[in-house]
Amino acid sequence: MNAIEATNLSKVYRLYAKPVHRLKEILLRRPCHQAFHSLQNISFTLPQGGGLGIIGDNGAGKSTLLKLLTGTLQPTEGHIQRNGKVAALLELGTGFHPELSGRENIRLSATVQGLSAEEINQREAEIIAFSELEAFIDRPVKTYSSGMYVRLGFAVSTCIDPDILIIDEALSVGDHNFQKKCIERMMQFKDANKTILFCSHSMHLVQEICQQALWLEQGVMRAYGSTEEVIGAYTQYLESKQYQQIETASNAQVSVEAHLPPAMITKFQVTDKNNQALEVLQQFKDVVIHLKMKGLQDKPMKAHIGIALLRPDEQIVFVASTKESGLSPELQPGEQSMTLTLPSFPLATGVYRFSAMIVDEFVLRIIHEQRSELYAVHSRRPEYGLLWMPHDWDFDLQEG
């Protein structure tokens, strides 16, 4: 059974240049507004127990879609079928009365969700304990910080045991320890076969929590499918947009070039040892990174090159630099190339990206940085951890 079925969802807002135009539209019976299409023809199905990540740039329509799915907004066109109890954490303070205390808002929110007085009494202590707001729970929530709002909102949303949990970017406000606690709770929901819709700019979290992803761009569904494929396409789009900006800047007029860095990375390619471009990385196969750089000064420049391997959450896995290798490259005016070979790539199954940097000769300032798309690593057998290390077993077993 599907937890959510969305069919041809569209949301159109009427934008008025002046408040009086609303009245003129009613009296004159003719349009006095501009139509803004926040969402257009969005369709998807989410099975029970599934996870769907909503990704896209700011203003793409992600929050509007989540509000439609929770029922706080009604679609202009289309239909939504929800099967199960829905709990959502969207904008800060949504559903909370500012004059009421945290405890009173817990009871109010739980009542709206359909819990009985007995169920509320049973879960109130758990909600307060999870939020870690015992010292503030009887104060008005209008006195809460944004992080406290998130703590209370997430605790209420998850402790009422919903069938469908919808989380927007609100988690980004909380502190690191509470974010970790929230992620662990969502993983518990996932293991309990609950349905999760998760909107985030963290591709790592989307990858961890969701089996499917939906990419929105200016209200239109750009891609929908497996998380790995959609995130790969979205990341490639972001890097392509950044590269186009670099190309535009490098072709600008001389007066503008004065503001450009003295050297730039103009091409970043990952291949095998036969110079065949790679779409995925195979464990224990050679990986070769090709860089093209362009010196924009009319004289040589001392600099160092660094290449890092990163997880999607920006955790650094490995760094190689010309400084640590004892090299002292000198970037010449015009185009030049270099390669870095990583023999017998050791990482296990996962998703990673490369970052290449030109830094000054003292390794104090990044002159220019370019990042690759996300690469999935495929290993011949499932392994725990990030990588495989050579090892030997030596048993000295005594017979009993």
Side-chain angles (χ1 to χ4, degrees), residues 351-362:
V351 180
Y352 304 89
R353 65 154 47 92
F354 293 101
S355 171
M357 291 170 283
I358 302 174
V359 297
D360 65 30
E361 60 178 313
F362 305 106

Side-chain angles (χ1 to χ4, degrees), residues 1 11 35 52 55 67 109 129 181 205 229 234 237 265 290 317 327 337 357-358 370 383 393:
M1 182 176 71
K11 183 63 179 178
L52 177 66
I55 63 176
K67 290 176 182 178
S109 298
K181 190 175 179 179
L205 290 182
E229 292 176 354
Y234 177 59
Y237 153 79
I265 300 169
H290 303 260
V317 178
L327 303 175
S337 303
M357 291 170 283
I358 302 174
Q370 179 74 294
E383 294 281 354
W393 295 99

